[in-house]
């Protein structure tokens, strides 16, 4: 069993930055690739970013490339999402997820509870 807890969400003005964190427990963090997803009001859940077990491979949805950075610290069992140049369209509940496979679909084995990010115009 793996438990994931997101933090770092909040309200920020357009153009601002936030860093989300996802702390993992109950498993061996270094065994899992990690992903970030988001779900905006009235929209389906969307893949945002993923990072491999080693952290040497990453993948991003086109809409966040150049603005968001996913990273991980295996010693702290934590994955991060640094979000810069935020736009109102980034407003969503953000979820982290863990899986044995490095993937960009939503078929992850474990999910966090989500953290709200609101970007004002």
């Amino acid at each position: 069993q793996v438990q994931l807890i997101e933090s770092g969400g909040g309200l920020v003005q357009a153009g601002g930055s936030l860093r989300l964190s996802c702390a993992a427990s109950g498993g061996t963090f270094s065994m899992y690739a990690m992903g970030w997803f988001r779900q905006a009001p009235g929209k389906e859940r969307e893949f945002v970013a993923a990072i491999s077990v080693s952290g040497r491979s990453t993948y991003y949805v086109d809409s966040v490339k150049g603005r968001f950075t996913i990273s991980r610290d295996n010693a702290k069992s934590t994955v991060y999402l640094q979000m810069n140049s935020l736009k109102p369209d980034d407003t969503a509940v953000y979820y982290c997820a863990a899986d044995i496979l490095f993937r960009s679909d939503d078929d992850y084995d474990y999910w966090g509870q989500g953290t709200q990010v609101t970007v004002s115009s």
Side-chain angles (χ1 to χ4, degrees):
Q1 183 180 356
V2 175
Q3 295 178 341
L4 305 172
I5 301 177
E6 302 96 333
S7 62
L11 175 65
V12 65
Q13 290 186 336
S17 298
L18 286 172
R19 189 177 77 157
L20 305 183
S21 298
C22 175
S25 63
T28 304
F29 182 74
S30 60
M31 292 177 58
Y32 295 96
M34 302 294 296
W36 285 97
F37 294 78
R38 64 188 181 186
Q39 188 165 28
K43 296 185 177 181
E44 62 186 13
R45 188 167 60 192
E46 176 190 31
F47 169 80
V48 176
I51 188 166
S52 64
V53 168
S54 68
R56 289 190 284 270
S57 297
T58 59
Y59 186 75
Y60 301 90
V61 67
D62 286 346
S63 61
V64 309
K65 287 181 179 177
R67 300 189 299 121
F68 291 11
T69 302
I70 188 171
S71 62
R72 67 189 295 158
D73 186 339
N74 285 350
K76 296 180 179 179
S77 298
T78 301
V79 64
Y80 305 95
L81 186 68
Q82 178 66 48
M83 305 186 294
N84 299 326
S85 301
L86 283 162
K87 305 174 181 179
D89 285 348
D90 296 319
T91 295
V93 176
Y94 283 71
Y95 300 89
C96 73
D99 201 272
I100 294 294
L101 301 177
F102 177 49
R103 65 201 308 158
S104 60
D105 60 28
D106 64 357
D107 197 23
Y108 279 70
D109 287 335
Y110 304 101
W111 293 84
Q113 81 288 349
T115 186
Q116 176 71 47
V117 172
T118 302
V119 184
S120 62
S121 60

